[in-house]
Amino acid sequence: MKLELPCIRRVADVGTALCAMLMLVGIAAASIADAAVPQQGYELRPGDIVAVSVWQEPGLEQLVLVRPDGGISFPLAGDLRAEGLTLEELGAVLKQRLSKFIPDPVVTVTLQEIPGNRIYVIGKVNKPGDFAIIARDVTVMQALSMAGGLTPFADEKKIKVLRVENGQQRSIPFDYRRIRRGEDLEQNIPLQAGDVIVVP
């Protein structure tokens, strides 16, 4: 019996080591998988308002409006394009510009208001109005749900999505009745900022 105890201990130690190694491999694999998934943040649009601050630089703390042309102006950084950038990307651009004047600046950009990223639902819905969209891929059905759904008098077959593309107005048909039956699901398109859903 005395000779078997060290063997049992050695087997237990080997088992513990193997478990630890497997756990480390699993953690590493999970980290690699997480790194492989793109983390795309909210992209700024004209009309959005961001707060920009630079650590230990009280004169460089202000609210900044994304202009209709997609640009912003910031002290020392001058004019730069913000439309289409995430908050992190805008912070990186500002840091690069400011580093010419401030050693290793710590720039923080936070979103304050998003009037530039809105959709509009009008007509025979229960809560017509404009709605801010932060999440990507808000679909027509989701927008109709945000507007409280259709009224009993809505014409389900003649709903339109009005969209401006390259300066031209475009009308995209949407048949709510077919979607409700699980047909033509491809017409439940993701909306873009400025889209107007008309429910006759």
Side-chain angles (χ1 to χ4, degrees):
M1 295 295 292
K2 290 181 181 179
L3 293 174
E4 293 176 358
L5 287 174
C7 296
I8 293 172
R9 289 196 189 97
R10 281 197 295 272
V11 170
D13 291 343
V14 170
T16 302
L18 284 172
C19 287
M21 287 177 62
L22 288 172
M23 287 177 64
L24 288 173
V25 170
I27 292 170
S31 299
I32 292 170
D34 290 341
V37 177
Q39 301 296 321
Q40 187 68 38
Y42 172 76
E43 294 179 355
L44 293 168
R45 297 179 181 273
D48 290 347
I49 299 175
V50 295
V52 181
S53 63
V54 182
W55 188 58
Q56 292 188 336
E57 297 290 339
L60 295 177
E61 293 183 9
Q62 58 182 260
L63 295 177
V64 180
L65 171 69
V66 181
R67 300 189 305 260
D69 64 357
I72 65 169
S73 298
F74 193 75
L76 300 180
D79 280 355
L80 56 107
R81 185 162 188 83
E83 182 180 5
L85 298 181
T86 65
L87 298 177
E88 294 76 13
E89 290 169 343
L90 178 58
V93 173
L94 287 169
K95 179 176 180 177
Q96 182 182 20
R97 294 275 188 102
L98 294 174
S99 61
K100 299 175 183 177
F101 308 96
I102 303 169
D104 196 22
V106 178
V107 181
T108 302
V109 181
T110 56
L111 188 62
Q112 298 296 303
E113 296 181 33
I114 53 169
N117 200 24
R118 306 187 78 82
I119 56 173
Y120 306 85
V121 185
I122 61 174
K124 294 176 182 175
V125 290
N126 290 303
K127 293 187 295 183
D130 60 311
F131 303 91
I133 52 173
I134 300 177
R136 290 177 171 275
D137 298 334
V138 173
T139 64
V140 178
M141 286 295 286
Q142 289 170 330
L144 291 174
S145 176
M146 292 162 65
L150 309 184
T151 69
F153 305 104
D155 190 339
E156 298 182 350
K157 298 182 292 182
K158 296 184 179 179
I159 297 172
K160 305 286 185 186
V161 178
L162 303 181
R163 175 175 295 173
V164 176
E165 292 182 341
N166 301 319
Q168 299 294 320
Q169 189 84 18
R170 178 186 173 199
S171 177
I172 305 170
F174 181 84
D175 190 335
Y176 182 90
R177 186 183 57 176
R178 293 184 68 81
I179 289 284
R180 194 158 38 85
R181 294 202 300 245
E183 302 171 356
D184 294 340
L185 299 180
E186 65 276 3
Q187 65 177 319
N188 188 29
I189 58 173
L191 294 171
Q192 299 178 6
D195 282 354
V196 181
I197 301 175
V198 181
V199 182

